[in-house]
Amino acid sequence: MSAPLLGYVDRPGVLHGLSGISKLVLVIGAVVGAMIGFDVRYLLAVTALSVVAWALSRVRLRDLAVVLTLIGVFMVLNNVGIFLFAPGYGTQLFGTRHVLLDGPWRWDLTQEQLFYQAAVTLKYLAVLPPVLLFVTTTRPPEFASALARIGVPARIAYAVSLALRYVPDIQRDLRTVSQAQQARGIDTSRAVPLRTRLRNLSAVLMPLLLGTFDRIEEVSAAMELRGFGRERGRTWFVRTPLRPADLLVIALGVLLVVVPIVLLGVNGGRYWNPFG
């Protein structure tokens, strides 16, 4: 069976050995820091940190090939959309205009617009790799335990754990149903036209959805029979203690939030303006 589209990758690396709470703090720090600041220098530093973390994790790009492809397509479409609908936003933002290429009507390519869209792309590159690494290097029970340790209610933490745990099962069921339907002559491969493939997909998705609903009902009934949620709190089987490396990662997560806040005062706003 192939690896899940998005889930835990059992290939132990440096990040696998860290506590879930330290990795969660690091991810939250990267996301919040990128939301606060739009300084390209900061985003470049976080992107470089993400590249180093990815190398240490031993997670291969092909493990997340589908997810990374979808993210790449969305990034390209987002940049195209920004330029089509707001080609002069960079000029308005930085207050200068340096034309690189004269285009038709208002679609002139300027240094300011290119710099702004590069910052938008860097924001994706700074945020998404840490999130993907957290999911691929943290087991669902450890994820739930980390959520509970930062104050998330046990019901929500356990629900997140269940959702991540069943992602591989849903992918396996999708493959099984698809192969069964193809054996009945309902082809969803690239050998048939796109319109036919989309029409045949309904014969795959409906059994998958019905099976998923049945599984949800079974799990809900089993949890209710075992008295889940009767008490406000609960214990967690997976609870990795914090070690010096975890404390260092937590400090790094806090630093990722502090730095953009400081840069707000240094730059006089969210953006670093190299043109003015």
Side-chain angles (χ1 to χ4, degrees):
M1 186 179 67
S2 61
L5 297 179
L6 182 61
Y8 178 75
V9 177
D10 192 8
R11 193 179 300 111
V14 175
L15 297 184
H16 290 73
L18 295 175
S19 172
I21 184 66
S22 62
K23 288 183 284 188
L24 182 59
V25 171
L26 181 63
V27 170
I28 293 176
V31 173
V32 173
M35 291 175 59
I36 295 174
F38 228 118
D39 192 307
V40 170
R41 298 167 298 180
Y42 169 78
L43 296 176
L44 278 173
V46 178
T47 301
L49 177 65
S50 300
V51 173
V52 174
W54 198 291
L56 294 175
S57 70
R58 297 184 62 190
V59 176
R60 297 174 296 197
L61 294 178
R62 64 183 179 183
D63 293 328
L64 300 172
V66 176
V67 176
L68 293 175
T69 300
L70 293 175
I71 292 174
V73 171
F74 179 78
M75 288 171 57
V76 171
L77 293 177
N78 186 42
N79 276 285
V80 172
I82 291 174
F83 185 72
L84 287 178
F85 294 102
Y89 184 74
T91 300
Q92 299 175 9
L93 184 65
F94 298 110
T96 57
R97 180 179 175 85
H98 300 85
V99 178
L100 294 174
L101 182 64
D102 290 327
W105 194 30
R106 60 184 185 134
W107 288 295
D108 296 331
L109 181 61
T110 63
Q111 293 183 16
E112 290 79 6
Q113 184 69 19
L114 198 61
F115 185 81
Y116 166 71
Q117 294 195 211
V120 172
T121 302
L122 282 174
K123 190 176 282 281
Y124 285 109
L125 297 178
V127 171
L128 292 177
V131 173
L132 294 177
L133 285 178
F134 176 75
V135 174
T136 53
T137 61
T138 308
R139 296 182 183 275
E142 188 178 0
F143 188 10
S145 175
L147 290 175
R149 292 175 73 176
I150 64 173
V152 176
R155 286 176 176 267
I156 298 178
Y158 197 77
V160 173
S161 175
L162 280 178
L164 292 177
R165 191 180 304 172
Y166 281 115
V167 168
D169 295 337
I170 293 175
Q171 181 185 350
R172 184 189 62 241
D173 293 345
L174 174 61
R175 187 182 304 107
T176 301
V177 174
S178 177
Q179 292 174 350
Q181 297 294 54
Q182 290 183 42
R184 295 181 175 90
I186 303 176
D187 196 356
T188 57
S189 66
R190 297 181 180 180
V192 297
L194 179 60
R195 181 179 300 180
T196 304
R197 196 189 316 170
L198 293 175
R199 184 173 63 249
N200 292 342
L201 276 176
S202 61
V204 176
L205 295 179
M206 285 305 297
L208 178 66
L209 290 175
L210 293 176
T212 302
F213 291 150
D214 289 340
R215 176 178 292 147
I216 292 174
E217 186 175 353
E218 291 175 0
V219 172
S220 300
M223 293 174 63
E224 186 176 355
L225 288 173
R226 288 169 173 79
F228 178 80
R230 183 176 180 181
E231 302 293 338
R232 297 187 60 181
R234 58 161 293 167
T235 58
W236 302 91
F237 181 74
V238 179
R239 191 182 179 91
T240 307
L242 295 178
R243 290 168 293 189
D246 295 299
L247 299 178
L248 181 62
V249 171
I250 292 175
L252 180 59
V254 174
L255 185 64
L256 290 177
V257 178
V258 173
V259 169
I261 294 177
V262 173
L263 289 176
L264 288 177
V266 174
N267 297 332
R270 298 181 64 197
Y271 297 89
W272 171 55
N273 187 359
F275 304 102

